[in-house]
Amino acid sequence: MSALLTRLHRGLILFNGSLAGLAMMLIFLLVAGNAFARYTYGGSISWGEDTAIYLMIYGLMFGMSWAYLQDKHIGFDLIRRLLPPRWVRWQAVLVDLIVFVVGIGLMVSAVEFIASRGGRTSSSTGMPMWLFQTSMLVGGGLLSLSALVMGALRWNEQLGEEASP
């Protein structure tokens, strides 16, 4: 199971990192193209600014999961430093469980938000708003999955250390 978890972990890092990077690249191209058009042709793409904002939200959701999978997120080192060394990993597993619940909460709130406002259409892009609002659902799902994978990896690591003499 550890090999499967490791492969899933690496695959999620690659998936989230690639999509976060793609979102950043598209934002750059869109904003740069819009600025170029504004200063050379006197006008810009009407849907450019809103699309860049929506891409930024999707990129943030993928980046949040990517950072969590690599432990490159904000942590509470003060609490960790106050704990005895044998409790530090258990604290990390507990944090993973809390993040899992937060991810599920984000998904639930996203479903409620989409149900109440998803029928609207974006005035600038002409696309249904649920396409953009789904970013919260995707982000919550990826964060929950990332927390599960990290918790399972830490749990296996902890059990392996306790089993070794």
Side-chain angles (χ1 to χ4, degrees):
M1 176 145 164
S2 183
L4 177 64
L5 273 174
T6 303
R7 286 181 55 203
L8 181 61
H9 181 248
R10 287 184 186 150
L12 282 171
I13 288 173
L14 181 64
F15 176 78
N16 288 307
S18 297
L19 289 177
L22 178 64
M24 288 178 62
M25 185 176 68
L26 290 173
I27 291 167
F28 172 78
L29 292 173
L30 188 58
V31 170
N34 229 3
F36 179 78
R38 186 177 309 122
Y39 291 112
T40 56
Y41 299 110
S44 60
I45 304 168
S46 62
W47 48 266
E49 287 184 39
D50 285 348
T51 304
I53 291 169
Y54 301 140
L55 281 170
M56 182 175 48
I57 294 168
Y58 268 103
L60 174 73
M61 294 299 167
F62 292 121
M64 168 181 65
S65 182
W66 176 81
Y68 195 82
L69 286 163
Q70 296 184 347
D71 275 338
K72 292 185 177 181
H73 55 85
I74 296 172
F76 296 103
D77 282 343
L78 177 65
I79 295 171
R80 191 174 300 162
R81 290 180 188 173
L82 294 175
L83 290 174
R86 67 180 186 276
W87 290 8
V88 171
R89 280 232 175 76
W90 292 111
Q91 178 257 346
V93 172
L94 178 64
V95 168
D96 291 331
L97 288 173
I98 292 168
V99 170
F100 174 73
V101 170
V102 167
I104 289 175
L106 184 59
M107 290 171 56
V108 169
S109 66
V111 168
E112 291 175 2
F113 185 69
I114 292 167
S116 67
R117 297 177 181 235
R120 296 182 181 181
T121 303
S122 171
S123 59
S124 63
T125 64
M127 299 171 73
M129 287 301 293
W130 66 265
L131 288 172
F132 309 118
Q133 295 162 348
T134 303
S135 63
M136 291 176 17
L137 184 63
V138 169
L142 287 171
L143 185 62
S144 293
L145 181 60
S146 299
L148 273 178
V149 168
M150 290 300 289
L153 284 171
R154 291 187 227 274
W155 182 265
N156 282 344
E157 195 175 294
Q158 180 70 21
L159 291 177
E161 284 182 6
E162 288 177 359
S164 64

